[in-house]
């Protein structure tokens, strides 16, 4: 027993941290858009960071628990209510059999994540529970959720009586509709004109409606290379920012292709990718350059905070095992 989807919401799917090791075969990694939110949700449930979670957009699904559940909601705040009572994101919660989880309004962010203790009982494809909708594989039959879907828990302890705990506010991403994100210069950054480099660092770029899990198209002042150039297709990654032929940019997201031939201007640092992942059409984004050393320092700092949270949660959850 686990959960029953009463209403499916918009494009809700099961995702984990991605399908790594298969890019050489042209298989993109996929996975969650907001890795920080998904990892914290799993840690709050005592799961491995890479356990499969439910990624939800707004309007989000209406979910009924068909068994007692210990769960966490992280990422976007969609005004979650459990049996009519508001519940905060970034903390653990417990549900009884028959409880209803609904989402009333979009308060902040664009993607929320539901993790359950022990994880969901799903078939894996290439060692990942992530849904690849285009391939029709992974997750729940390779598709978005539909009304009437039932998904079991692998192992779930209700956790009643466990003291309430939540992630520290200092480690939570600072979501907003107009973030400035840090980047490390990409392989072709030096090919930009001086004016275009200044424009990249000083401008604001609109997230286009023609954006999806593959990439966010960014509309703003056009950028230009100092000289025309033809490039051989090269590897790209989650967070790579490419320059399109029309002078606009695209920030590659979780379902990005494995290689591309457009100039790679920048790589958004992993610490700031969650800020981008929570944007929606009409939001804006700015860019700020940092050194590779600074990016590594920020990455190590965040991993240290996750390790401390993981240890604290383990001590609290050991009591219910």
């Amino acid at each position: 027993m686990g959960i029953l989807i009463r209403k499916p919401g918009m494009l809700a799917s099961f995702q984990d941290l991605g399908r790594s090791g298969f890019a050489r075969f042209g298989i993109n990694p996929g996975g969650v858009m907001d890795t920080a939110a998904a990892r914290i949700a799993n840690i709050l449930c005592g799961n491995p960071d890479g356990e499969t979670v439910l990624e939800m957009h707004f309007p989000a699904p209406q979910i009924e628990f068909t068994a007692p559940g210990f769960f966490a909601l992280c990422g976007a705040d969609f005004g979650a209510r459990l049996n009519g009572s508001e519940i905060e994101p970034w903390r653990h919660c417990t549900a009884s059999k028959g409880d209803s989880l609904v989402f009333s309004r979009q308060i902040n962010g664009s993607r929320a994540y539901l993790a359950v203790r022990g994880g969901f009982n799903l078939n894996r494809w290439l060692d990942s529970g992530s849904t690849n909708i285009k391939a029709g594989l992974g997750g729940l039959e390779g598709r978005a959720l539909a009304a009437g879907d039932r998904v079991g828990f692998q192992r779930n302890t209700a956790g009643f009586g466990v003291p309430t705990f939540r992630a520290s506010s200092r480690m939570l991403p600072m979501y907003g509709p107009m973030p400035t994100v840090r980047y490390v210069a990409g392989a072709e950054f030096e090919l930009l004109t001086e004016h275009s480099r200044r424009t990249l660092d000083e401008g604001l770029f609109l997230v286009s409606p023609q954006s999806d899990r593959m990439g966010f198209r960014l509309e703003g002042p056009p950028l230009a290379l100092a000289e025309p150039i033809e490039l051989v297709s090269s590897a790209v990654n989650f967070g790579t920012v490419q320059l399109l032929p029309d002078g606009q940019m695209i920030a590659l997201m979780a379902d990005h292709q494995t290689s591309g031939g457009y100039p790679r201007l920048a790589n958004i640092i992993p610490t700031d990718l969650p800020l981008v992942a929570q944007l929606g059409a009409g939001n804006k984004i700015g860019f700020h350059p940092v050194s590779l050393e600074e990016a590594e320092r920020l990455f190590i700092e965040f991993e240290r905070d996750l390790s401390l949270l993981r240890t604290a949660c383990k001590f609290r959850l050991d009591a219910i095992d």
Side-chain angles (χ1 to χ4, degrees):
M1 301 294 282
I3 59 172
L4 167 65
I5 306 302
R6 289 295 186 186
K7 294 182 180 178
M10 183 178 73
L11 199 63
S13 65
F14 289 102
Q15 304 289 343
D16 58 20
L17 296 183
R19 192 168 279 111
S20 61
F22 301 96
R24 65 188 184 277
F25 304 117
I27 299 173
N28 63 338
V32 294
M33 292 278 276
D34 185 340
T35 56
R39 293 178 70 188
I40 292 172
N42 271 322
I43 290 171
L44 289 171
C45 289
N47 297 335
D49 292 21
E51 187 58 69
T52 304
V53 297
L54 179 59
E55 181 178 89
M56 300 174 287
H57 304 78
F58 195 84
Q62 180 178 330
I63 299 169
E64 178 184 329
F65 285 83
T66 57
F70 183 103
F71 68 96
L73 286 168
C74 293
D77 187 349
F78 289 163
R81 290 178 174 271
L82 186 67
N83 284 348
S85 299
E86 290 188 9
I87 56 176
E88 292 183 77
W90 307 105
R91 68 170 64 242
H92 88 274
C93 304
T94 53
S96 300
K97 181 179 179 180
D99 281 358
S100 178
L101 177 64
V102 300
F103 301 87
S104 59
R105 64 196 189 282
Q106 187 173 9
I107 299 171
N108 186 27
S110 295
R111 292 169 178 85
Y113 295 87
L114 170 67
V116 299
R117 182 157 172 77
F120 295 100
N121 189 16
L122 298 163
N123 292 325
R124 298 173 69 82
W125 176 55
L126 298 180
D127 200 32
S128 170
S130 285
T131 306
N132 186 319
I133 291 179
K134 289 191 175 182
L137 295 164
L140 182 64
E141 301 174 356
R143 59 172 173 79
L145 295 188
D149 283 340
R150 293 178 179 268
V151 183
F153 301 145
Q154 293 189 71
R155 175 185 64 84
N156 197 288
T157 306
F160 292 102
V162 176
T164 298
F165 57 91
R166 60 166 294 158
S168 168
S169 58
R170 74 176 297 274
M171 69 183 303
L172 303 185
M174 299 294 289
Y175 300 143
M178 196 168 62
T180 295
V181 300
R182 292 160 288 193
Y183 73 89
V184 174
E188 285 75 50
F189 176 81
E190 296 297 331
L191 300 180
L192 283 173
T193 64
E194 286 291 340
H195 175 73
S196 292
R197 294 183 202 177
R198 290 195 301 272
T199 299
L200 175 62
D201 293 344
E202 298 172 2
L204 282 175
F205 301 87
L206 183 77
V207 178
S208 164
Q210 283 73 52
S211 299
D212 55 24
R213 281 179 49 91
M214 287 189 67
F216 286 1
R217 288 184 173 266
L218 307 178
E219 300 175 351
L223 308 183
L225 302 178
E227 295 181 5
I229 188 172
E230 291 187 8
L231 298 172
V232 175
S233 289
S234 302
V236 293
N237 204 357
F238 192 178
T240 298
V241 180
Q242 292 182 294
L243 179 64
L244 302 176
D246 62 359
Q248 302 299 305
M249 296 185 294
I250 184 169
L252 302 185
M253 303 305 288
D255 283 351
H256 64 85
Q257 69 273 23
T258 57
S259 64
Y262 295 133
R264 296 159 295 176
L265 304 184
N267 293 285
I268 300 168
I269 68 172
T271 312
D272 286 357
L273 271 176
L275 307 183
V276 185
Q278 291 294 344
L279 296 178
N283 292 156
K284 294 183 177 180
I285 182 172
F287 293 94
H288 177 73
V290 295
S291 66
L292 182 59
E293 291 75 18
E294 175 67 2
E296 289 175 342
R297 184 190 67 80
L298 293 166
F299 177 80
I300 291 170
E301 185 178 278
F302 181 67
E303 291 299 319
R304 182 196 63 203
D305 288 344
L306 282 185
S307 180
L308 292 173
L309 177 64
R310 195 177 294 114
T311 300
C313 290
K314 182 179 185 302
F315 282 133
R316 288 177 179 265
L317 294 173
D318 279 348
I320 66 173
D321 285 335

